Amino acid sequence: ANAEDVVLRGLTDDQRATLLATPTDDGYRLDVHLQGEHETVFFAV
């Protein structure tokens, strides 16, 4: 479903990676980075 998402398709691979949780042994993990090399993409709505 992520491959078909209109918003995600408008981002680069690196930007998209900041918005997707990754599976872990006990659920999922999503790190939010406010600045720097892996800064999480935010949308102005």
Side-chain angles (χ1 to χ4, degrees):
N2 288 338
E4 301 300 321
D5 186 277
V6 175
V7 174
L8 292 178
R9 285 192 330 210
L11 302 173
T12 66
D13 288 341
D14 290 338
Q15 290 173 320
R16 190 181 308 90
T18 70
L19 296 173
L20 301 176
T22 54
T24 64
D25 291 339
D26 60 349
Y28 288 88
R29 176 182 177 146
L30 176 66
D31 295 321
V32 176
H33 298 266
L34 299 179
Q35 60 185 349
E37 183 180 344
H38 301 288
E39 182 177 341
T40 302
V41 173
F42 291 95
F43 299 97
V45 290

